[in-house]
Amino acid sequence: MAAVICGSLAFDTIMNFEGRFADQILPDQLHILNVSFLVPGLRRDFGGCAGNIAYSLNALGGKALPMATVGNDGADYVARLNELGVGTEFVRTVADAYTAQAMIMTDRDNNQITAFHPGAMQQAHITRIASRPDLKIGIISPDGRDAMLQHAEQFKVAGIPFVFDPGQGLPMFDGDELSHFIEQADWVTVNDYEGKMLSERTGWSSADISRRVRGLVVTLGAEGCEVWIDGVVSHVPAVKPAAVVDPTGCGDAWRGALLFGLEQGWPLAKCAALGNQIGALKIAQRGPQNYQVDRRQLGF
């Protein structure tokens, strides 16, 4: 069985700033902000939410089918997915655009500033979801606005249960749109900041949201995560990483593990616990798709 992963395929340009952003930005001068950061370290990685989630799910032994678009510079990314054994039948090339690009700058405290060019991602809605016997589960992760709206509708019509994880795409939608996403979804996952924004825009508390879906997970970074089911919350503790090297893609690694557990029919708290384990593995390695998974060490 396979998981359809709706989201972006992107190239990540990672820059390391050896100082602290907070020391370089004057709070009372934000209206005339003009700063420059020296970044001695720079690298380019394969990234994007769909690619990163697919990498995590594939590493755990699941079958990942990213539904995404690349531009005329995306052949290397498609080739990499094929080499990893990730299905590319739903990856489409847009000839007159660049692949999405994320420019991510990280300071010494692992704070990040990101600039994102969507490129071909803006055409992600041209690929449609339809019912198929092997498609067991899906996820709506950050993507083009039209793609997120249309793919959620298509998952619902096709009868494919899906996770709504709006991530950094959440601010694109108003309260009515977000409420509709929740009403169509089977599970909702957000981080704590996104969770507050989601509640503010919909007027629904975390407990309210959890009563409208099969479960809500709110990730809390180093504090683990909250699992809400039918208005009742439980806490799933974090897993301490071997080292804190690079946070880029940690949330996507968590999402891939969540999908794996849901596909196995696990309770939501167990899925979240696996996500915490995979997130800890990822954060100890540079790049969003460079960590290794040993299922024997994970205890399943």
Side-chain angles (χ1 to χ4, degrees):
M1 304 301 283
V4 180
I5 301 168
C6 299
S8 61
L9 295 177
F11 293 116
D12 292 341
T13 300
I14 312 296
M15 298 161 282
N16 295 318
F17 174 55
E18 295 179 346
R20 293 184 172 91
F21 295 144
D23 296 336
Q24 307 296 319
I25 298 174
L26 302 175
D28 61 343
Q29 299 295 314
L30 291 177
H31 62 294
I32 54 170
L33 183 66
N34 187 351
V35 295
S36 177
F37 301 97
L38 178 66
V39 288
L42 185 149
R43 72 180 190 276
R44 195 179 194 223
D45 290 327
F46 296 101
C49 291
N52 296 342
I53 296 169
Y55 180 89
S56 171
L57 179 58
N58 186 68
L60 285 163
K63 183 176 181 181
L65 291 175
M67 180 171 284
T69 47
V70 296
N72 52 34
D73 57 345
D76 287 347
Y77 205 144
V78 177
R80 171 181 168 78
L81 292 174
N82 285 324
E83 289 170 3
L84 290 170
V86 173
T88 56
E89 61 182 289
F90 296 144
V91 177
R92 186 186 294 259
T93 299
V94 179
D96 59 350
Y98 290 114
T99 301
Q101 314 272 332
M103 282 67 75
I104 303 168
M105 183 162 47
T106 304
D107 75 0
R108 65 188 299 177
D109 293 330
N110 285 318
N111 296 307
Q112 293 185 320
I113 296 174
T114 300
F116 187 76
H117 169 66
M121 190 185 81
Q122 296 179 102
Q123 301 300 316
H125 61 280
I126 61 181
T127 307
R128 297 181 59 82
I129 296 163
S131 179
R132 211 171 74 181
D134 63 322
L135 303 182
K136 185 173 183 179
I137 196 169
I139 185 170
I140 301 289
S141 67
D143 205 351
R145 173 182 163 83
D146 289 342
M148 293 177 73
L149 289 166
Q150 293 179 30
H151 287 158
E153 295 277 1
Q154 291 159 15
F155 272 133
K156 188 68 174 178
V157 170
I160 300 171
F162 74 95
V163 178
F164 176 53
D165 189 325
Q168 62 265 37
L170 193 155
M172 295 190 293
F173 305 102
D174 63 24
D176 288 342
E177 290 167 328
L178 291 168
S179 297
H180 190 48
F181 274 122
I182 293 167
E183 288 164 347
Q184 294 175 106
D186 293 83
W187 303 275
V188 175
T189 56
V190 286
N191 65 27
D192 51 347
Y193 180 83
E194 295 157 0
K196 290 180 176 65
M197 181 180 292
L198 185 61
S199 290
E200 179 182 300
R201 294 199 175 184
T202 61
W204 295 338
S205 67
S206 294
D208 294 333
I209 293 170
S210 73
R211 294 188 183 99
R212 288 170 165 84
V213 291
R214 291 162 66 177
L216 164 71
V217 183
V218 181
T219 59
L220 307 171
E223 301 303 315
C225 55
E226 294 176 344
V227 174
W228 290 83
I229 297 176
D230 198 21
V232 178
V233 65
S234 60
H235 181 258
V236 179
V239 174
K240 186 176 181 180
V244 178
V245 175
D246 179 10
T248 308
C250 188
D252 294 332
W254 186 94
R255 291 172 174 116
L258 178 81
L259 282 179
F260 178 83
L262 290 175
E263 191 174 5
Q264 306 304 307
W266 293 357
L268 189 56
K270 183 177 179 180
C271 301
L274 179 63
N276 292 349
Q277 287 182 282
I278 301 303
L281 289 177
K282 196 258 81 69
I283 206 170
Q285 300 294 327
R286 293 205 179 278
Q289 299 179 20
N290 296 322
Y291 58 96
Q292 303 298 316
V293 175
D294 186 340
R295 292 180 58 175
R296 294 169 299 180
Q297 294 182 359
L298 296 174
F300 70 91

